[in-house]
Amino acid sequence: MKTVAVIGSGSWGTALAVQLKRAGNNVILWSFKEEEAAAILAERENKEFLPGIKLDIDIVVTCKDEDVTWADMLVFSTPSKFVRNMAKRFAPFVKDNQIVVNVAKGLEEGSLLRLSQVIKEEIPQCRVAVLSGPSHAEEVGKNMATAIVAASEDTEVASEVQNTFMTPMFRVYTNTDIIGVELGGALKNLIALAAGISDGCGFGDNTKAALMTRGLHEISRLGTALGAKRETFSGLAGVGDLIVTCTSMHSRNRRAGILLGQGKSLKETLDEVHMVVEGVSNAKAAYELSKKLDINMPITHEINNVLYEGKDVKQAVYDLMTRNKVDEI
């Protein structure tokens, strides 16, 4: 029986703590805020971020960094922009060759690094893996059938993560293409924003299908340029995650897009969603990476124009539709 520490008590971190307990592990759930840890501990429920899902009485809830010393495996479940700080903070407690699993989806602004690279820079003694795929916290919390991917360059690490998380209702596949799995998870958030904007503007299924399909093409082009395998984007961490994020109201990226499409400002949108919207946080990094590698990503470009240049969303759609004629591939 493993002891697994989940760093971050948002909706996904809480759901994974519940899932890890179902899988037979000892679980520590770490919260950044003392009052939040106390509330979860008292109620055995994260009423702010995952209401209605009860935590097993044996799940340890804490805000003390040193409590993770007892863990065999660490799971980082914090917004992407906090991953470096959290990795640096917990590095002293990570043992040689200990597995650290990242479940945040994004790129680091500035460095343009994948989050596993960020973790490895701050915790060089660890073995790193990522967990990604179509998996809403609300549904995992309710033990609905879910399939996901554990990725690491080290097959033994991927298999150990698979064995740690897997249950009859939580199927875990392994993959050695960590680049593709991470980029699929990070970049689909931008496309989900675009899909939500389309919904908010009142466009139909044709529009959304076009955005999702051409969005996947953009993700694949950038990913393969960085060394990912094209077939990864046809799997759970690619098209699977794209589908669920672009079509579900559980998706905070789609919800944010809908509000933007309805004419709300970025600030009003983020205030109403009330959770981190990774597509907004990572739009600049994705666009900068595409420029650095000279990869044409028009949807990503227009999302940045809407978010940070104040461009009208309907004008952005028109400009996408009236670009120069090209072949599909």
Side-chain angles (χ1 to χ4, degrees), residues 173-185:
Y173 292 83
T174 60
N175 195 325
T176 57
D177 181 17
I178 193 170
I179 298 173
V181 169
E182 284 191 280
L183 288 175

Side-chain angles (χ1 to χ4, degrees), residues 156-326:
E156 290 185 4
V157 170
S159 294
E160 191 163 343
V161 174
Q162 179 185 53
N163 293 335
T164 302
F165 280 84
M166 192 159 168
T167 62
M169 287 291 105
F170 196 80
R171 183 168 179 81
V172 184
Y173 292 83
T174 60
N175 195 325
T176 57
D177 181 17
I178 193 170
I179 298 173
V181 169
E182 284 191 280
L183 288 175
L187 299 178
K188 56 86 184 178
N189 288 325
L190 307 182
I191 310 306
L193 271 176
I197 287 172
S198 173
D199 289 336
C201 286
F203 292 116
D205 295 339
N206 293 353
T207 315
K208 185 182 290 186
L211 284 167
M212 291 172 65
T213 306
R214 296 308 298 171
L216 184 62
H217 181 67
E218 290 190 13
I219 294 169
S220 180
R221 288 189 71 200
L222 184 64
T224 53
L226 288 167
K229 297 176 182 177
R230 186 174 294 276
E231 56 265 32
T232 299
F233 301 109
S234 299
L236 290 166
V239 68
D241 210 358
L242 184 69
I243 290 169
V244 80
T245 312
C246 289
T247 61
S248 173
M249 283 305 291
H250 287 314
S251 166
R252 61 190 75 169
N253 290 281
R254 181 181 174 230
R255 295 205 313 271
I258 290 171
L259 296 172
L260 290 168
Q262 290 171 343
K264 296 198 175 183
S265 69
L266 181 56
K267 183 182 185 306
E268 289 171 332
T269 294
L270 296 178
D271 286 346
E272 186 165 334
V273 174
H274 187 54
M275 289 190 284
V276 172
V277 181
E278 290 285 19
V280 172
S281 303
N282 285 281
K284 283 183 180 178
Y287 180 53
E288 289 300 320
L289 195 54
S290 73
K291 288 198 300 182
K292 179 180 178 181
L293 297 172
D294 195 25
I295 302 294
N296 186 32
M297 299 178 68
I299 298 173
T300 301
H301 185 193
E302 291 298 344
I303 286 294
N304 273 267
N305 286 339
V306 168
L307 292 176
Y308 300 113
E309 303 298 330
K311 187 171 184 176
D312 178 76
V313 291
K314 291 190 176 180
Q315 184 63 48
V317 172
Y318 180 82
D319 289 346
L320 280 171
M321 293 296 290
T322 57
R323 290 176 299 119
N324 291 336
K325 292 179 285 187
V326 296

Side-chain angles (χ1 to χ4, degrees), residues 9 31-43 45-46 48 61-63:
S9 58
S31 175
F32 179 73
K33 299 177 182 178
E34 183 176 357
E35 60 271 24
E36 184 174 81
I40 295 172
L41 192 61
E43 301 287 342
E45 181 181 348
N46 189 337
E48 181 174 6
V61 184
T62 184
C63 61

